[in-house]
Amino acid sequence: RAPDFERAAHFYAKDCDAGGAGSCLALAILYDSGQGVFKNLATAAGFYGRACDGGNAQGCRSLALLHETGEGVEASAERAAELMRRACALGDRDSC
């Protein structure tokens, strides 16, 4: 049976709203890729930010990459560097 990304998005959204940083990250990835939801990089950035604020290093790194390229958010090398430092501090070695 194929994955039901639309259904997954629904449950990720509920858990993200309850403070689940991992679910915010998963939902961001769905919006980033357009799986189960319409692809929307601005919405993905918002969920990456919520994941980052919840202490999820991958959320910080992914949001940094969007700021680096200006996709879905304003391009900002300063903001990208700040988010990479935060991801590094949270343990993401690739961000260091």
Side-chain angles (χ1 to χ4, degrees):
R1 187 166 106 153
D4 186 347
F5 293 111
E6 185 177 345
R7 183 172 164 83
H10 170 77
F11 288 107
Y12 288 147
K14 281 186 164 207
D15 191 56
C16 179
D17 287 342
S23 290
C24 294
L25 174 65
L27 191 54
I29 291 169
L30 292 180
Y31 276 100
D32 200 334
S33 64
Q35 291 183 298
V37 295
F38 287 106
K39 181 174 179 138
N40 185 320
L41 294 179
T43 300
F47 285 114
Y48 283 136
R50 289 175 66 180
C52 181
D53 290 344
N56 185 288
Q58 187 179 347
C60 297
R61 184 169 192 272
S62 296
L63 183 55
L65 294 173
L66 290 179
H67 277 287
E68 187 174 78
T69 61
E71 295 182 270
V73 294
E74 182 179 334
S76 171
E78 289 178 17
R79 180 73 173 134
E82 173 190 324
L83 288 161
M84 284 292 190
R85 284 190 294 274
R86 189 166 176 194
C88 178
L90 289 168
D92 182 58
R93 295 171 105 170
D94 291 336
S95 297
C96 300

